[in-house]
Amino acid sequence: HVCAGIYTITDREEPVSIMCDKAKMAIEAHSGDYNTRVTYYDKALLEKSLYERQIVGEFDGALERQEFCMFLQPQVSTDGRVLGAEALVRWKHPVKGMISPADFLDVFEKNGSIVKLDRYVWELACRQLAKWAEKGREDLYISINISPKDFYFIDVCGVLQDLVKKYQVNPRCLKLEITETTVMANLETQLNLIERLRKSGFIVEMDDFG
């Protein structure tokens, strides 16, 4: 894949190194997006890049301070009975307030921080399932999302097995949602992993199918 970042020179006195940095910034804007071949540098791109660098720089501290919160979106049957919930993440920023996942998930996906965030949310989900089990509600489940990056950087099955063992929860109560894109990217390997997860007792569901 050949990609290009273009910076249109408006000030000939500007240092060449800065011109190159701006062209490089344009390339980085479509990193991993192979549908985009050419990107032009502009003010909006600069603002986006500065924002992304800011939140990436704040990520580790925010995770340590537990600013990321798990919200549960109920999933109910046709007769209104609660079956479980889907785990959603929000960033409770001390200055900016509640930040929508639309403003940070793609950024963390791009730079790989999504793996740490996912593991954090998975643990919160298992902790909640353990609390429900103590109250006799082992029938409830929580669905968690698995990012494509998770499959490449960690042993997903091993991590999840350790978590359900740590919190003594039934793996069937922790439903796993993966995207069709993730599976199709490396079909044979991913199908083997899905089979391994199922043999460990997890329910694997396809998200955004089709």
Side-chain angles (χ1 to χ4, degrees), residues 15-52:
V16 174
S17 61
I18 293 180
M19 295 179 185
C20 291
D21 285 343
K22 291 179 177 178
K24 183 181 177 183
M25 192 181 295
I27 291 178
E28 292 173 347
H30 59 65
S31 175
D33 180 7
Y34 299 121
N35 293 318
T36 303
R37 302 291 183 175
V38 179
T39 304
Y40 283 84
Y41 172 89
D42 58 18
K43 186 178 180 181
L45 185 62
L46 173 62
E47 292 175 351
K48 179 183 178 184
S49 177
L50 291 174
Y51 172 77
E52 290 183 357

Side-chain angles (χ1 to χ4, degrees), residues 1 19 82 88 112 124 163:
H1 299 276
M19 295 179 185
V82 176
L88 306 175
L124 291 180
L163 283 173

Side-chain angles (χ1 to χ4, degrees), residues 49-117:
S49 177
L50 291 174
Y51 172 77
E52 290 183 357
R53 291 181 186 184
Q54 178 188 356
I55 65 172
V56 166
E58 294 181 12
F59 174 76
D60 286 328
L63 195 63
E64 187 176 336
R65 293 186 296 272
Q66 300 181 353
E67 293 176 7
F68 294 100
C69 308
M70 180 183 71
F71 280 57
L72 296 175
Q73 180 172 287
Q75 295 184 342
V76 301
S77 63
T78 54
D79 60 0
R81 183 168 50 92
V82 176
L83 303 175
E86 179 179 3
L88 306 175
V89 64
R90 299 289 185 271
W91 185 351
K92 194 173 182 181
H93 196 281
V95 177
K96 300 176 182 177
M98 199 67 75
I99 303 178
S100 166
D103 294 328
F104 62 82
L105 282 186
D106 286 345
V107 178
F108 295 154
E109 182 80 42
K110 188 164 63 174
N111 88 321
S113 296
I114 191 69
V115 178
K116 288 184 180 180
L117 183 58

Side-chain angles (χ1 to χ4, degrees), residues 145 175-184 187 190-191 194 198 203-210:
N145 290 300
K175 290 191 177 183
L176 315 178
E177 293 190 2
I178 62 176
T179 63
E180 177 191 14
T181 306
T182 302
V183 177
M184 298 308 294
L187 186 60
Q190 304 298 25
L191 288 179
I194 289 172
R198 285 177 171 161
I203 296 175
V204 182
E205 298 178 336
M206 192 76 74
D207 193 22
D208 298 332
F209 184 72

